[in-house]
Amino acid sequence: RPTPPSGATANVIVPAVGVDGVRHTIVVDTVAAQRVWNFRSAWNVAALNCTAPEYADINAGYRLFLKKHARALTIANRSVDTLFRQKYGKGFVGQRESYLTNLYNYFAYPPTLPTFCAYALSIAHEAPVLTDKELPGFSERAFIGFAKVYEDFYIAYDKYRADLADWNAKYGAAVVATGTPQAAASPAPAVGAFATGKP
């Protein structure tokens, strides 16, 4: 019987592909004014979650990144504030924090963490030579890579669902290979929330 990819649960809600052929997610839809700060957020998630010895350069690189690009990150943070203030008015802070919490949780989704961490490590190895001027372009390129981490998972999950439907049509939805009743799907694992977007 097919099993979900990457140890995911059997009840994952996969974002649909839009009429434009794009699967719109919080990462894919990150606009230019958010990109540098959201890139910092992705690296922050990696520094907190990619703790195996082979990922040590992620944390060290993140600390260096914050120090080297402090001025550029301050400007990026202000641009995000401006964006949310224009959209939500005086109550923008709560909207921004809610958005950032969702962003952090999206990056930290357990089934995608191994691939996410591997990609974050490659970013950590490239970033030390970046200048502030190069940071926006680098962040845009990094986001293409981050989006691919999740898109590849969604494609694999869609294939799992198609394979499962075929299996159920052939063998019956309530029967597994051993002949025992199918266990109920367990809820998705909780992911820690992050209340602020500050380093």
Side-chain angles (χ1 to χ4, degrees), residues 1-2 10 160-161 163-185:
R1 190 172 194 273
Y160 150 71
R161 292 196 300 193
D163 291 345
L164 180 62
D166 289 343
W167 193 95
N168 287 340
K170 186 174 182 179
Y171 298 108
V175 179
V176 296
T178 59
T180 57
Q182 178 183 345

Side-chain angles (χ1 to χ4, degrees), residues 4-21:
S6 305
T9 60
N11 56 352
V12 173
I13 298 175
V14 174
V17 175
V19 294
D20 56 357

Side-chain angles (χ1 to χ4, degrees), residues 77-96:
N77 189 27
R78 289 172 182 167
S79 74
V80 175
D81 277 348
T82 298
L83 185 70
F84 276 80
R85 187 182 290 109
Q86 290 172 344
K87 186 173 183 179
Y88 297 105
K90 293 182 179 180
F92 80 94
V93 174
Q95 294 291 337
R96 173 188 159 133

